[in-house]
């Protein structure tokens, strides 16, 4: 899994007892009445989770790049907003390996959550010929014998029609989008088995982690979530807000910060972007024909351009971003988290403190530091082995 995963992530940056799988209830009447943030889930959203609204063929460029015999379906499915509990439409894609290798109990599934692309509707990987570089990861997973479902997240995608905006890093929305993608994938392709993983990096690492935390309440009828792989996960962005006020944002962080502010504001009306992005900050919010919004950001100004206009505005943004921060809730789902010692977006000391909080709430986490690597780190062969060990029922390693 090492080589192809590395090629994909470099293209998309912010791209003693037997193990008992974490199992959600199969009683579909046990649908949560509200999000874990306290927002009531509408009756419409409760009854429609994962319902497929539309299917389209996979793109020709995908078929050419993926193994022969891969069955590809682009989907639009129903999910739930973690902001207001309303039903939403989300796009994504389903990839099935060649039938000749199908296990008797069905394909194990990877629900793949992508890294930061942008915050507008034209930033969905499933609408792009190269999926913003994620085709390499999909190819790798397929060759390893996994089916794959991808989610574009709420608010990213041109096939959904009018949809709610993308609330960048809001964890409940992200988790619901991933979990409902699993429901949708199974309705499209019954050859998918009951066991699945959530895998993601950067923004997607946060989405995968949130999936672990929301699985017990929201993941009924999705089968067994065997584990989560979070690569350079952007779990807690409060340090970015703090660095902005201290005028200590690194150059890499200054590229990301405008998208953070604008994206958070899309899910939190109390945040006003103009209060945080000063003169000379002209962020690209949409994706171009050739790249993500993050990749096409203009060169950022000096760090002082990102201080809030008032302390009250800074506090409002900090409080909102803090309300999105992970980890938040105990989960029985095993997690492996990879991070780099030279990450200039999420410094290793920040990541270490964040992962320590996971241990404090009794998560089963294996923390893997990659020396000399940055935000686009390669998790190497350990990722593939960790996942195959979960499928085999081996003991779950944890260093908490």
């Amino acid at each position: 899994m090492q080589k192809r995963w590395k090629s994909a992530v470099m293209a998309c940056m912010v791209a003693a007892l037997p193990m008992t799988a974490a199992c959600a209830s199969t009683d579909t009447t046990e649908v949560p009445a509200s999000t874990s943030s306290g927002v009531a889930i509408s009756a419409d959203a409760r009854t429609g989770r994962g319902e497929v609204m539309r299917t389209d063929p996979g793109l020709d460029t995908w078929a050419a790049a993926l193994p022969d015999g891969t069955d590809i379906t682009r989907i639009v499915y129903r999910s739930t907003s973690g902001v207001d509990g309303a039903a939403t439409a989300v796009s994504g894609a389903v990839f099935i390996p060649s039938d000749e290798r199908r296990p008797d109990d069905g394909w194990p599934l990877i629900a793949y959550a992508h890294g930061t692309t942008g915050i507008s509707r034209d930033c969905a990987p499933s609408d792009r010929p190269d999926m913003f570089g994620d085709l390499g990861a999909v190819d790798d997973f397929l060759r390893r014998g996994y089916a794959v479902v991808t989610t574009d997240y709420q608010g990213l995608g041109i096939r959904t029609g009018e949809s709610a905006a993308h609330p960048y890093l809001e964890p409940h929305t992200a988790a619901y989008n991933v979990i409902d993608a699993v429901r949708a994938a199974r309705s499209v392709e019954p050859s998918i088995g009951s066991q699945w993983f959530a895998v993601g990096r950067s923004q997607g690492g946060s989405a995968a982690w949130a999936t672990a935390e929301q699985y017990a309440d929201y993941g009924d009828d999705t089968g067994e979530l065997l584990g989560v792989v979070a690569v350079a996960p952007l779990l807690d962005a409060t340090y970015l807000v703090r660095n902005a006020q201290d005028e200590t944002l690194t150059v890499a962080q200054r590229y990301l910060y405008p998208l953070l502010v604008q994206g958070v504001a899309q899910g939190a009306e109390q945040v006003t972007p103009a209060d945080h992005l000063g003169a000379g900050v002209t962020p690209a919010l949409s994706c171009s024909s050739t790249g993500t919004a993050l990749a096409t950001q203009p060169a950022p100004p000096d760090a002082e351009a990102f201080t809030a206009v008032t302390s009250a505005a800074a506090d409002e943004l900090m409080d909102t971003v803090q309300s999105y921060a992970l980890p938040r809730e105990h989960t029985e789902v095993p997690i492996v988290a990879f991070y780099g010692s030279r990450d200039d977006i999420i410094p290793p000391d920040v990541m270490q403190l964040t992962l320590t909080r996971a241990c404090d709430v009794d998560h089963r986490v294996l923390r893997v530091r990659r020396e000399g690597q940055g935000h686009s780190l390669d998790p190497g062969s350990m990722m593939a082995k960790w996942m195959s060990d979960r499928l085999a029922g081996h003991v779950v390693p944890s260093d908490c």
Side-chain angles (χ1 to χ4, degrees), residues 111 177 186 214 260 278 301 321 368:
N177 293 172
R186 288 221 176 85
Q214 297 305 313
L260 171 70
V321 174
V368 182

Side-chain angles (χ1 to χ4, degrees), residues 140-172:
D140 186 21
F141 298 148
L142 290 168
R143 293 179 186 275
R144 292 280 174 174
Y146 294 95
V148 181
V149 63
T150 65
T151 179
D152 295 327
Y153 311 134
Q154 172 186 310
L156 306 184
I158 60 176
R159 293 178 291 118
T160 60
E162 292 298 322
S163 61
H166 178 59
Y168 185 65
L169 295 183
E170 198 286 304
H172 307 97

Side-chain angles (χ1 to χ4, degrees), residues 11-252:
C12 187
M13 185 175 69
V14 218
L17 294 174
M19 184 198 78
T20 300
C23 299
S25 168
T26 58
D27 181 353
T28 57
T29 65
E30 295 181 7
V31 180
S34 65
T35 73
S36 58
S37 58
V39 176
I41 296 178
S42 71
D44 183 35
R46 289 200 303 271
T47 58
R49 299 176 302 158
E51 177 185 325
V52 176
M53 305 169 66
R54 169 179 172 177
T55 62
D56 296 285
L59 301 182
D60 290 344
T61 53
W62 298 1
L66 297 175
D68 291 343
T70 300
D71 186 12
I72 309 170
T73 306
R74 293 195 296 162
I75 57 175
V76 175
Y77 63 94
R78 295 183 62 183
S79 192
T80 305
S81 169
V83 176
D84 60 8
T88 57
V90 181
S91 56
V94 181
F95 304 83
I96 306 297
S98 171
D99 274 343
E100 62 196 38
R101 296 186 296 137
R102 184 173 68 187
D104 292 340
D105 53 355
W107 298 108
L109 177 68
I110 290 176
Y112 180 74
H114 66 81
T116 300
T117 56
I119 60 172
S120 63
R121 293 183 61 202
D122 58 359
C123 291
S126 77
D127 291 327
R128 295 293 176 140
D130 65 346
M131 295 186 71
F132 291 125
D134 280 340
L135 270 182
V138 173
D139 178 76
D140 186 21
F141 298 148
L142 290 168
R143 293 179 186 275
R144 292 280 174 174
Y146 294 95
V148 181
V149 63
T150 65
T151 179
D152 295 327
Y153 311 134
Q154 172 186 310
L156 306 184
I158 60 176
R159 293 178 291 118
T160 60
E162 292 298 322
S163 61
H166 178 59
Y168 185 65
L169 295 183
E170 198 286 304
H172 307 97
T173 301
Y176 300 159
N177 293 172
V178 172
I179 294 170
D180 287 329
V182 173
R183 292 187 171 98
R186 288 221 176 85
S187 68
V188 167
E189 183 46 69
S191 67
I192 295 173
S194 64
Q195 297 177 317
W196 62 286
F197 295 89
V199 178
R201 69 161 46 247
S202 196
Q203 179 187 7
S206 174
W209 191 295
T211 298
E213 294 197 1
Q214 297 305 313
Y215 171 69
D217 288 337
Y218 194 82
D220 54 287
D221 76 1
T222 62
E224 300 172 290
L225 176 53
L226 292 181
V228 161
V229 178
V231 181
L234 185 53
L235 300 174
D236 182 352
T238 55
Y239 73 96
L240 290 170
V241 181
R242 187 177 303 108
N243 287 0
Q245 310 320 308
D246 295 341
E247 301 183 1
T248 58
L249 289 171
T250 66
V251 173

